[in-house]
């Protein structure tokens, strides 16, 4: 049985706590939590207790190495703020542990190089938790393309829509500062760029991007005629009737995780999406050329009426289209099975000289159409052969973020960015 310690007990941690404490308790055991906030670690232990498991020891962030020495975990699970991923990954590797990290693996090239140095130095392993790869509909696209269903792929159009509940949530919390998250081209789009690498079996060679803050932020609201503002929801009457306000006091999970924990670190989870201090973009377009000559047009918008994606693949023998409508959710604001669950999903193949047909696939239980549970089974269950090769290592983690990193450079410098500019590329071959 493998032993695990988890660092970062915010909203994303619940996925792993419920899995290890519940379904996979015969294969895995949590031995410790580590965080900057004791209140959140206490809540994590309550979640563990709800699964019928015993509470584990808790350690403050500055005790990370001491925690490893005392509890001797085999694997560290990293679910902290994005900009700190590399720090905990590197320290865990050098302390003799393997690592499972939430996406994105890290937020810039220098941090990625630190991780690669530590992997080469220690011989330990890093896995990146790309649950989207395991979603049955995304796996089906991989299978269809691998089997040559539309021949050689020439071009892809990939449009991702975030709505006024989930999309707005990135502008309430720490993600709103690019120094913390790398912006949404890194934090969110790492999922989508990884899917592209996974689907195409190739990596980008050139990126051009445009992006700006058009909807959220105080100046944009003022331009639309808004006159009443507030810094955060809790304690401000102006927020009462604002559909963009997050009322944590009315949600037991958000209250326990964040509102009740504010006295320790002054982290406000419910900041106004129309306040100052937002340094990430909400409207992004990216053009990518891949090593196999595929051309991708990609867009991400964050304030739309529905959530999901449209993606189309144009090939030498036809066209593949997938449309997904996801149920709306706020991170840690409800039942975990609702996160990324689907309202509709259709995959249609249009052969060159034949009638179109619908691809068959079976959705699973749990979040992301069953993708969450399938990933957890791969992480904590017995090893099984996977012809789709969905497990993602540090190479996949690095290549997925490099598209977003290149996009950030392109937006800033208003030029195309070639992947050969990154010293990381030669290290990943």
């Amino acid at each position: 049985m493998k032993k695990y310690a988890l660092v970062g007990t915010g909203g994303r941690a619940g996925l792993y706590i419920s899995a290890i404490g519940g379904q996979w308790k015969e294969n895995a055991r949590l031995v410790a939590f580590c965080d900057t906030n004791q209140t959140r670690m206490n809540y994590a232990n309550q979640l563990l207790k709800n699964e019928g498991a015993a509470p584990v020891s808790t350690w403050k962030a500055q005790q990370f190495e001491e925690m490893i020495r005392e509890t001797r975990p085999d694997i560290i699970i990293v679910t902290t703020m994005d900009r700190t991923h590399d720090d905990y990954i590197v320290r865990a590797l050098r302390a003799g542990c393997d690592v499972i990290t939430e996406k994105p693996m890290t937020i810039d090239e220098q941090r990625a190089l630190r991780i690669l140095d530590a992997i080469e130095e220690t011989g330990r392993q890093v896995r990146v938790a790309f649950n989207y790869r395991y979603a049955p509909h995304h796996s089906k696209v991989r299978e269809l393309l691998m089997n040559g269903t539309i021949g050689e792929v020439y071009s892809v159009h990939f449009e991702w829509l975030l709505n006024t509940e989930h999309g707005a949530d990135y502008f309430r919390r720490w993600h709103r500062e690019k120094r913390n998250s790398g912006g949404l081209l890194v934090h969110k789009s790492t999922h989508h760029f990884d899917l592209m690498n996974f689907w195409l079996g190739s990596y980008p060679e050139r990126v051009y991007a445009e992006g700006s803050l058009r909807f959220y932020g105080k100046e944009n609201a003022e331009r639309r005629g808004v006159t009443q503002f507030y810094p955060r929801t809790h304690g401000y009457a102006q927020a009462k009737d604002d559909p963009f306000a997050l009322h944590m006091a009315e949600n037991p999970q958000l209250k326990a995780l964040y509102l009740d924990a504010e006295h320790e670190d002054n982290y406000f989870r419910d900041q106004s999406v129309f306040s100052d201090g937002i340094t990430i973009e909400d409207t992004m377009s990216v053009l990518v050329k891949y090593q196999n000559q595929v051309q991708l047009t990609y867009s991400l918008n964050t304030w739309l009426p529905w959530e999901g994606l449209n993606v189309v693949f144009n090939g030498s023998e036809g066209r593949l289209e997938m449309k997904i409508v996801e149920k709306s959710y706020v991170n840690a604001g409800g039942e975990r099975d609702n996160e990324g669950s689907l309202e509709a999903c259709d995959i249609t193949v249009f052969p060159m000289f034949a009638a179109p047909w619908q691809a068959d696939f079976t959705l699973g239980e749990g979040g992301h159409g069953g993708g969450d549970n399938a990933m957890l089974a791969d992480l904590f269950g017995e090893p099984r052969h996977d012809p789709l090769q969905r497990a993602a290592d540090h190479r996949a983690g690095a290549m997925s973020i490099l598209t977003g990193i290149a996009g950030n450079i392109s937006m800033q410098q208003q030029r195309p960015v070639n992947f050969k500019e990154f010293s990381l590329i030669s290290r990943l071959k």
Side-chain angles (χ1 to χ4, degrees):
M1 177 184 289
K2 296 282 187 181
K3 297 192 298 182
Y4 295 81
L6 186 146
V7 55
T9 55
R12 193 62 186 165
L15 177 74
Y16 303 97
I17 294 170
S18 61
I20 297 175
Q23 181 176 2
W24 301 107
K25 61 185 177 184
E26 302 301 322
N27 297 61
R29 180 164 67 92
L30 273 168
V31 295
F33 291 129
C34 182
D35 201 296
T36 58
N37 191 295
Q38 186 63 49
T39 302
R40 275 196 287 277
M41 287 192 286
N42 294 343
Y43 181 69
N45 261 324
Q46 182 59 51
L47 294 178
L48 202 53
K49 183 179 178 181
N50 293 346
E51 296 292 338
V56 300
S57 60
T58 60
W59 306 75
K60 286 297 187 72
Q62 63 269 25
Q63 299 174 300
F64 184 67
E65 279 83 5
E66 181 183 355
M67 175 196 73
I68 293 175
R69 287 194 301 270
E70 293 295 323
T71 63
R72 302 177 66 82
D74 301 294
I75 299 173
I76 302 294
I77 301 173
V78 177
T79 55
T80 59
M81 185 185 298
D82 295 352
R83 68 173 167 83
T84 66
H85 283 187
D86 68 302
D87 182 51
Y88 289 110
I89 292 170
V90 169
R91 291 162 66 187
L93 295 172
R94 289 177 175 161
C97 301
D98 291 328
V99 174
I100 296 169
T101 182
E102 261 300 312
K103 62 82 192 167
M105 186 176 76
T106 187
I107 65 170
D108 59 36
E109 186 189 17
Q110 292 307 310
R111 286 176 166 90
L113 285 168
R114 285 193 68 222
I115 293 171
L116 189 58
D117 287 343
I119 291 171
E120 293 176 353
E121 171 190 324
T122 64
R124 310 303 303 189
Q125 295 183 342
V126 174
R127 286 192 62 174
V128 184
F130 281 128
N131 53 352
Y132 275 38
R133 288 185 173 210
Y134 294 84
H137 42 292
H138 295 324
S139 295
K140 187 64 177 183
V141 170
R142 162 84 160 167
E143 177 188 328
L144 291 168
L145 295 178
M146 285 177 64
N147 292 340
T149 304
I150 60 169
E152 182 182 358
V153 177
Y154 294 154
S155 68
V156 183
H157 176 67
F158 192 164
E159 175 190 29
W160 196 282
L161 301 82
L162 290 168
N163 68 4
T164 51
E165 185 174 13
H166 184 202
D169 208 35
Y170 295 108
F171 298 84
R172 300 185 183 111
R173 46 195 176 130
W174 55 262
H175 308 71
R176 74 205 314 254
E177 295 184 55
K178 187 170 278 194
R179 69 182 185 90
N180 290 331
S181 64
L184 291 179
L185 281 186
V186 172
H187 174 80
K188 181 62 180 175
S189 299
T190 186
H191 264 319
H192 314 148
F193 298 141
D194 176 68
L195 281 176
M196 286 304 307
N197 297 342
F198 174 65
W199 284 332
L200 296 176
S202 185
Y203 292 130
E205 64 177 22
R206 187 165 59 252
V207 172
Y208 180 79
E210 294 281 357
S212 56
L213 185 68
R214 298 295 309 277
F215 184 79
Y216 299 108
K218 188 173 183 179
E219 290 184 15
N220 291 322
E222 287 175 334
R223 190 164 51 248
R224 292 192 298 271
V226 176
T227 58
Q228 279 200 326
F229 295 93
Y230 57 91
R232 60 172 302 193
T233 297
H234 188 69
Y236 285 85
Q238 301 97 311
K240 180 180 178 182
D241 298 319
D242 183 359
F244 288 93
L246 182 69
H247 300 278
M248 293 191 294
E250 300 173 5
N251 184 291
Q253 293 182 69
L254 292 174
K255 182 178 182 297
L257 267 175
Y258 300 109
L259 190 59
D260 293 348
E262 287 180 359
H263 66 281
E264 291 193 47
D265 54 16
N266 292 314
Y267 171 57
F268 302 131
R269 171 69 174 77
D270 62 345
Q271 295 177 82
S272 169
V273 299
F274 301 119
S275 59
D276 287 325
I278 297 172
T279 56
I280 64 173
E281 300 80 15
D282 59 20
T283 307
M284 291 143 280
S285 300
V286 185
L287 181 64
V288 185
K289 182 70 172 296
Y290 286 81
Q291 293 173 5
N292 64 359
Q293 303 305 301
V294 172
Q295 302 171 39
L296 165 70
T297 55
Y298 169 85
S299 66
L300 176 65
N301 296 280
T302 58
W303 68 92
L304 298 177
W306 61 274
E307 176 142 339
L309 69 88
N310 293 302
V311 60
V312 299
F313 299 82
N314 300 305
S316 59
E317 298 178 21
R319 176 178 170 98
L320 186 155
E321 298 183 358
M322 177 166 64
K323 179 174 182 177
I324 296 172
V325 179
E326 292 191 351
K327 292 182 180 177
S328 185
Y329 73 96
V330 169
N331 191 355
E335 293 296 322
R336 184 158 298 281
D337 284 358
N338 290 332
E339 294 193 6
S341 57
L342 307 185
E343 291 184 357
C345 181
D346 294 298
I347 301 175
T348 307
V349 176
F350 296 84
M352 191 77 82
F353 300 109
W357 50 274
Q358 298 288 122
D360 293 326
F361 57 93
T362 302
L363 296 176
E365 295 183 359
H368 297 95
D372 286 358
N373 287 339
M375 179 190 72
L376 294 169
D378 194 22
L379 290 173
F380 305 122
E382 296 299 326
R384 293 182 179 181
H385 173 66
D386 181 5
L388 299 180
Q389 298 178 321
R390 291 172 293 184
D393 62 8
H394 67 279
R395 295 175 184 83
M399 293 306 297
S400 69
I401 60 171
L402 276 181
T403 307
I405 292 168
N408 282 332
I409 295 171
S410 179
M411 287 190 294
Q412 182 182 26
Q413 300 182 5
Q414 297 185 318
R415 67 174 179 89
V417 175
N418 290 303
F419 265 45
K420 64 184 179 182
E421 298 177 33
F422 296 113
S423 58
L424 186 63
I425 292 296
S426 62
R427 299 278 300 278
L428 292 172
K429 290 181 178 178

